[in-house]
Amino acid sequence: MNTEVDMLSERFRLADEKGLCPECGAPMDEIDRLNENGSVFVWLHCRRDGCNGSWLGKKSCIELRSA
């Protein structure tokens, strides 16, 4: 397997599941949320000064209710 792809996959998983920046690993803050067609879109931005990392997550409302 490609090590770079594995590393990116892990970063994206941490961003999606734990809200950690895919660029530097610092915690991110929610800056916007949108409910649309049974899904919730959450935009996160890195807290660390000088980092421009961000993440847009999408979850179904059903998935969020069961969590």
Side-chain angles (χ1 to χ4, degrees), residues 33 35-40 59-67:
R33 180 178 289 228
N35 295 322
E36 186 175 283
N37 297 326
S39 295
V40 177
K59 303 284 184 188
S60 72
C61 290
I62 294 169
E63 182 181 359
L64 290 172
R65 283 187 200 119
S66 66

Side-chain angles (χ1 to χ4, degrees), residues 8-31:
L8 286 173
S9 294
E10 179 65 11
R11 284 183 179 182
F12 294 156
R13 185 188 67 75
L14 290 173
D16 195 45
E17 292 178 6
K18 299 187 183 279
L20 299 178
C21 178
E23 296 293 323
C24 71
M28 294 188 290
D29 290 324
E30 181 178 326
I31 58 171

